[in-house]
Amino acid sequence: MLTGTPASEAAARTALSRARGSAAAADVAAPAPFSLVVDLAAEPIGPRWLRGAATLTILCAAALSAMPGIDPFQAALAHSIAPKQQFQMNAMLSGPPADAEAALASAPPVDPVEAAKPVVAATASAIRVQGGVTDGLYWSLRDAGVSPDVAAQYLKVLSTRIDVGGDVAPFDRFDLVMAKADGQPLLYAALRRVDAPDVELLKWTVGGKADWFDTDASGAERTDGLMAPVAGRITSGFGRRNHPILHFARMHAGIDFGAAWGSPIVAAADGQVVGAGWAGGYGRQVRVAHGSGIVTSYSHMSGIVAAPGEPVRQGQVLGYVGSSGLSTGPHLHFEVRVNGQAVDPQSVQMQRRQQISGAQRQAFNARLKQLKAIGA
Ligand SMILES: [Zn+2]
């Protein structure tokens, strides 16, 4: 049994607590110094292999220097060490394996301080700021010298696509361009994410109105407000009417779109599918929650392609026009509820799907390229 003197044990524990944080070290039930090192060797180091290896090397040196006269390799063999721990210990002593180095070359920057360092570049008319997310997105922006106003603009723009509170992780990188003008209006906002798709948005003016458009290959689509869920004519509006089958006046809680059987029905806005299946008189129905208590529903479908829990983007196909449930012919019954209360979908800003195409699209791409060239 390997034991250290109280003094050597204290030295190793100090080194351990520096590397792991004091809370974890306090939980270790005072084993011999060398066991501490082996225990550390089992820490997941994965793509951050070099940092883990460097930590282990320092700790090993500290532990061994605190135990004069003990041959470390003999001591290790004398102990019973789980195979995985022993492997990692060997890896540490002999340097990182070749494939670990290759993985590291394509991995995100390892040093969080280096990764978070903001990069600021400017032209005569615009300023670009890039940096890593460390202590939350807002404070990372502020630390990079971004004003509270611009940080708020950036978060507001991003919040139309992701949950800026929950969908941001350490090692993600923000990238924004603001104009050198009064109020520093934001021109470009992006978040490059380690574990999720990037978000990249460019401000663009269509029909005299500035809006934020996704820059990805799926096409620049506006996602403010609601989009018409199907290509069709409104055949029945919201409100009280005589029901054609039930023959009594009743509230029509949505609007009907006349459309050909099998026409694709798309999500009116970004959201999450909260229901997909048979719903009595509504027939085959999909319900999508959009946050702020707003739920849209799409009824009488002939087929459903959305699944409960699935996140959907505006314009994503949810199903196809049919006549299932209480229906006289193929149409889409579309409802919007706010906190459970049906509202007139037409009172909620309905916008036609807008795409930037042709010459506009070329100008859009040129603008994007120009802004991303700042400081590149
Ligand atoms: Zn209807």
Side-chain angles (χ1 to χ4, degrees):
M1 181 74 187
L2 177 73
T3 52
T5 65
S8 67
E9 190 173 311
R13 284 178 68 91
T14 303
L16 175 72
S17 91
R18 278 202 196 111
R20 297 182 85 184
S22 51
D27 293 337
V28 177
F34 204 86
S35 299
L36 289 178
V37 176
V38 171
D39 172 50
L40 254 181
E43 286 212 340
I45 46 183
R48 296 170 196 166
W49 207 98
L50 274 186
R51 191 159 62 136
T55 306
L56 286 170
T57 307
I58 293 162
L59 274 160
C60 221
L64 294 181
S65 70
M67 293 186 293
I70 293 175
D71 178 344
F73 298 100
Q74 256 187 12
L77 288 171
H79 263 292
S80 67
I81 301 169
K84 197 176 162 193
Q85 291 178 325
Q86 192 165 17
F87 169 79
Q88 293 213 355
M89 193 68 180
N90 292 340
M92 183 275 294
L93 291 172
S94 59
D99 60 342
E101 275 179 295
L104 198 72
S106 61
V110 167
D111 184 346
V113 177
E114 205 57 42
K117 247 180 207 168
V119 181
V120 181
T123 64
S125 60
I127 304 166
R128 184 182 190 187
V129 186
Q130 302 172 76
V133 176
T134 49
D135 198 12
L137 197 42
Y138 178 81
W139 289 111
S140 302
L141 290 162
R142 297 285 292 115
D143 286 348
V146 173
S147 74
D149 274 1
V150 173
Q153 280 185 58
Y154 174 85
L155 292 178
K156 192 180 166 199
V157 169
L158 238 65
S159 70
T160 62
R161 301 297 189 278
I162 61 165
D163 171 7
V164 290
D167 292 347
V168 181
F171 294 102
D172 286 355
R173 291 184 62 79
F174 62 83
D175 184 358
L176 62 88
V177 179
M178 64 191 109
K180 278 185 184 172
D182 279 353
Q184 297 183 312
L186 208 55
L187 306 173
Y188 168 87
L191 184 68
R192 297 181 214 296
R193 299 191 288 174
V194 175
D195 295 321
D198 294 347
V199 181
E200 188 177 38
L201 301 161
L202 179 67
K203 187 150 74 180
W204 194 250
T205 302
V206 176
K209 187 175 178 279
D211 215 331
W212 287 90
F213 290 85
D214 291 282
T215 63
D216 61 22
S218 71
E221 294 162 13
R222 60 186 304 153
T223 59
D224 283 354
L226 295 181
M227 183 178 127
V230 72
R233 195 168 60 84
I234 294 175
T235 54
S236 180
F238 178 86
R240 195 162 289 277
R241 66 163 182 179
N242 271 312
H243 195 278
I245 292 181
L246 299 176
H247 298 298
F248 62 88
R250 56 172 277 170
M251 179 70 184
H252 187 224
I255 56 178
D256 291 345
F257 289 89
W261 184 284
S263 302
I265 296 167
V266 301
D270 290 358
Q272 186 170 25
V273 176
V274 289
W278 193 265
Y282 287 110
R284 288 188 195 87
Q285 186 195 56
V286 172
R287 290 196 315 280
V288 179
H290 305 283
S292 309
I294 300 171
V295 174
T296 55
S297 67
Y298 312 78
S299 302
H300 308 308
M301 289 179 170
S302 57
I304 291 175
V305 293
E310 182 188 350
V312 289
R313 298 293 299 266
Q314 184 179 48
Q316 187 174 330
V317 175
L318 302 173
Y320 300 95
V321 169
S323 189
S324 58
L326 211 51
S327 167
T328 53
H331 78 286
L332 168 67
H333 173 86
F334 175 61
E335 278 185 24
V336 179
R337 286 177 184 267
V338 180
N339 298 322
Q341 191 71 41
V343 299
D344 184 355
Q346 289 181 287
S347 74
V348 182
Q349 199 185 359
M350 292 279 282
Q351 292 166 331
R352 292 184 60 181
R353 182 176 193 154
Q354 287 211 38
Q355 288 215 337
I356 300 173
S357 53
Q360 278 282 304
R361 181 77 208 183
Q362 280 181 10
F364 179 92
N365 287 340
R367 172 71 163 163
L368 181 64
K369 199 173 162 188
Q370 179 194 28
L371 294 182
K372 288 175 80 172
I374 300 173

